[in-house]
Amino acid sequence: MIATGLLALGLVLIIEGLAYALAPSLIERMLEVLRSLPESARRQIGLLAMVSGLLLVWAAHQMGG
């Protein structure tokens, strides 16, 4: 269980690092857009991302991963 958590965290950090390394100006523009959104919209985006991640983890688990 801990190994799976470390694997997941490592994969998230790789994807985040790639985004910052390959497109830093895009990240800045995305942050500006996020700042312009109301807090409720940012909260909904966060919840949607969390639910999507949960579904992906569940699907991977069902496949035997």
Side-chain angles (χ1 to χ4, degrees):
M1 181 86 164
I2 291 175
T4 304
L6 289 174
L7 175 64
L9 181 59
L11 290 172
V12 167
L13 291 174
I14 289 169
I15 299 299
E16 288 284 328
L18 277 173
Y20 283 102
L22 298 177
S25 61
L26 178 61
I27 298 295
E28 287 181 24
R29 286 187 302 213
M30 286 175 47
L31 289 173
E32 289 173 12
V33 169
L34 283 172
R35 277 189 214 106
S36 70
L37 291 174
E39 185 178 326
S40 61
R42 291 190 306 250
R43 182 170 283 125
Q44 288 177 340
I45 290 169
L47 288 172
L48 179 63
M50 186 176 63
V51 169
S52 298
L54 181 62
L55 289 173
L56 287 172
V57 169
W58 176 81
H61 180 72
Q62 292 301 310
M63 290 181 196

